[in-house]
Structures are given as C-alpha cells and as structure tokens.
Amino acid sequence: MKDKRTTRAAIYGRVSTDGQTVDNQLRELRMVAERNGWQIVEEFVDKGISGDKGREQRPAFDALWNGAVRREFDVVMVWAVDRLGRSLSHLVNFLSEIHAKKVDLFIHQQGIDTTTPAGKALFGVMGVFAEFERSMIQERVKAGIKRVRATGQRWGRRTIEETDPASCAKILELRRQGIGMAAIGKRVGVSSRTVWRFLRGAEASSQSRDMT
C-alpha cells in the first residue's frame, strides 16, 4: 500500500452547463485529500461539457488521462462516478488504463477508494460489467437484424447494382477501356472502393456462369 503521507493526488471536476459550478466538488475533495495526507498536485476541470462526450471532447479529462499514463500522480479523485462519464465503456477503458499504470481511484459519493485492499475489487468488477455491456450490445444488434429480416426487408446498405444500374454499366465499359479504378470512380462519381467491390462481384458472377 502506498504511504498516504506522500501520495500525489489529482482532482477531476466536471459540470454539464456553464451555469453550474464545480466549487462544491473541489472543496469536498480537497478536504478528503487533507484528511488522508494526500498532496494535491493538479486539478482538472471541464465546464459545460456533458459526461456523454468522449475523452477527445473533454480537454481536462484528456489531460487527466495523459497524466495518469505518465504516472504524474498516484490517485485520481472525483466527486461522483458520473463526473468521469456516463458511458460504461468509456469508464471501463479509463479504469483499465489507470489500473495498468497502478494509479488508484477515489470516488467520494460512492465511497470507493482503491488505495485500500477492499476498494481494489472495483477494477475486477468493472471488467465484468464491461463484458456484460458488450454482450448486451451484440444481442441487441442480432435482435435488430432478425426483426428486419422477419419483415422481408434487406439488412445493411444497398449495393450499387441495386441503386444505380446505369453507373454499373458505365463502370464496366470504362474498365474494358483499361481505365484504372480511381479514374473510373471520379468519372462515375463513386469511390474507388465501390468500383473495386462492384468489379469483384461482377467477375465472380461471370466465373460462376461459365462453370454452369
């Protein structure tokens, strides 16, 4: 266990609107740090940013994350778990990262303190929830596909053969002239990848017909 008298702490605060304040969050966390003998080395604050936003859209949170990776502090302190984010996957990624760097987490409202042996169990529990969320997402996607197919609809994006037969004919003609796929895409108004996919499918169909 780290010596709490020399533990370096970083505080993270966040509010969703500019009209809110992080003062209460910071004050409480400073008091906790003082009681534990932790030295606050930096405070990170995001104002007017929703917890639904990812790391790249929260400058202070991104800086906190980078600081944890560089081991610039020993424990991250937040007022409540939703201050870190409202996406379980984002939260798990953050916890996994700081755990790998041996940085602890203190969450005031939920009474979580991973500097203690009991608190360290959080990291294992979060991994279980992450796997559960991934499974639920997969199940929802599978259920959605079944619902669409049950109504006789096609699942996924429609192909160029279905949406634009005229462009397909033009692609074949240009290809017979020896023109490259990128140039064909520019002339037809589609991506070179679309041209490649169409030509590959056309070639496969032609080979299949020749074998029958």
Side-chain angles (χ1 to χ4, degrees), residues 59-186:
F61 184 64
D62 183 58
L64 172 78
W65 195 314
N66 289 330
V69 170
R70 292 192 291 264
R71 289 280 296 146
E72 294 176 355
F73 31 82
D74 304 305
V75 58
V76 171
M77 303 179 69
V78 293
W79 167 254
V81 68
D82 64 352
R83 299 303 89 192
L84 288 173
R86 293 174 180 165
S87 165
L88 180 58
S89 60
H90 291 168
L91 181 60
V92 170
N93 287 339
F94 176 69
L95 293 180
S96 298
E97 189 74 41
I98 66 173
H99 182 50
K101 298 299 180 180
K102 301 188 185 305
V103 174
D104 284 306
L105 178 67
F106 176 88
I107 306 178
H108 185 70
Q109 287 290 82
Q110 282 72 38
I112 294 171
D113 181 0
T114 69
T115 65
T116 67
K120 290 187 184 298
L122 168 72
F123 290 117
V125 171
M126 291 307 299
V128 172
F129 278 114
E131 182 60 33
F132 175 72
E133 184 186 43
R134 284 193 291 269
S135 297
M136 290 299 294
I137 291 173
Q138 291 173 357
E139 288 301 319
R140 285 195 293 269
V141 170
K142 290 178 181 178
I145 293 174
K146 288 181 179 179
R147 283 195 300 271
V148 170
R149 287 177 175 171
T151 60
Q153 299 179 48
R154 185 180 183 278
W155 175 261
R157 186 178 300 175
R158 299 179 68 191
T159 64
I160 189 173
E161 294 95 324
E162 296 172 304
T163 60
D164 195 352
S167 290
C168 293
K170 189 173 182 180
I171 289 172
L172 290 172
E173 177 60 29
L174 292 172
R175 189 59 175 168
R176 280 193 290 268
Q177 297 175 19
I179 298 175
M181 294 188 187
I184 292 175
K186 289 182 179 180

